[in-house]
Amino acid sequence: MEKETNTLIQDLRHQKPAACQKLLSDYGPAVFRMVQRIITQREDAEEVYQDVFVKALRGIQNYNPKQASLGTWLSRIAYNESLNFLRSRKPNIIYMDDRELGSDSFEVPDDAPQDEHTIALLEQALSLLPPHEQAIISMFYYEEKSLADIAYITGSIPSTVGSQLSRIRKKLYRIIKTL
Amino acid sequence: MNDIKNDINLKEAVSRREQQLPPMPEGLNEKVMGSLEEYDCLKKKTPLHRGRGWRWVFLAAACVAGFVVIFLAPPKSAEKQPPVVIEEPTFNFQLSTFNFQLDDGQTPLEAQLAHQQEIKKKGERLAAYIQEQIKPEYDY
């Protein structure tokens, strides 16, 4: 697998079209998912998806496999490109701010049993988070990425990501209290 | 960190939300491939004779041919070459002279003036004739 990825990277560095097709088919769905978490408009997401691969192929010479896997590296580009796209547009959606939700000393229920009502409320609460927080939560809970990988993608450090996750989780439970 | 990771409700909520995301549109990757070629991110397929390797072969062959022509080809002797004949243009000038017939009692000056008048009249007649000939046949 590692050898196959190394061959793919080498071929991409030599700008081989077949390698690019393989990159798109193997990593495209994950990249598109990352973009869609942040950009909900389909046309915009497609545009950013395209930009991600243009940037990736232009920057493949500087990619260091020792720092992160190819998938994580692509996710980093997708995350940054998507947020840059949102910043370039005039924001028309207001997300839930921490300050509106009261004190940070809110206790989150630990090891609570699965509860359909709570799940439904959390689903609603997730849509009220800012896009970058939604992406972090999805990477941790859905893709089960490590804190190191999330830190690489978001340009942070693992301990900061841990604190962010804890804070976002508390925020979600505070939001569902208001729903 | 474990308590965060073990939050089964949040995990399930995130999972359900992710499953609601629409799938990647078909044909998007083909579109991306097209734009990657447009942005010169991919090597363009070139015919074999236009490839880099062949380019150098042609260049080397051209250099060798040039060297052979300049340094190794026997010089042509001047004796074998046919003499170059340069034809100089010749000009024949014919000088014309005007002879005026003097009428009785005419001085040469008067004869010359009368001749000029005659030429002038002929010229005017010729001009009138030309004017007549080039007159347009249609009326607006």
Side-chain angles (χ1 to χ4, degrees), chain B residues 123-138:
Chain B
E124 283 169 358
R125 282 204 299 272
L126 183 64
Y129 174 77
I130 291 167
Q131 197 76 24
E132 190 67 29
Q133 290 301 313
I134 62 169
K135 191 179 172 185
E137 293 174 354
Y138 50 85

Side-chain angles (χ1 to χ4, degrees), chain A residues 61-75:
Chain A
Q61 306 294 343
N62 303 323
Y63 163 61
N64 182 3
K66 288 175 187 167
Q67 280 187 327
S69 70
L70 187 59
T72 305
W73 180 68
L74 287 168
S75 294

Side-chain angles (χ1 to χ4, degrees), chain B residues 26-108:
Chain B
E26 281 185 25
L28 180 59
N29 280 346
E30 283 72 28
K31 211 165 110 181
V32 174
M33 279 296 288
S35 58
L36 289 173
E37 281 171 7
E38 197 180 310
Y39 284 111
D40 288 335
C41 293
L42 297 175
K43 194 182 280 181
K44 284 176 184 157
K45 287 178 185 173
T46 52
L48 190 61
H49 67 278
R50 285 189 188 174
R52 280 187 185 174
W54 284 99
R55 197 193 304 165
W56 288 111
V57 170
F58 282 128
L59 193 64
C63 289
V64 170
F67 180 80
V68 168
V69 168
I70 294 166
F71 296 106
L72 301 180
K76 290 178 182 175
S77 61
E79 291 167 5
K80 289 177 184 175
Q81 290 179 355
V84 178
V85 178
I86 301 169
E87 289 183 7
E88 288 184 7
T90 54
F91 301 98
N92 293 319
F93 297 103
Q94 287 183 344
L95 295 173
S96 61
T97 56
F98 297 99
N99 295 316
F100 304 109
Q101 287 183 347
L102 299 177
D103 293 338
D104 293 335
Q106 256 188 335
T107 61

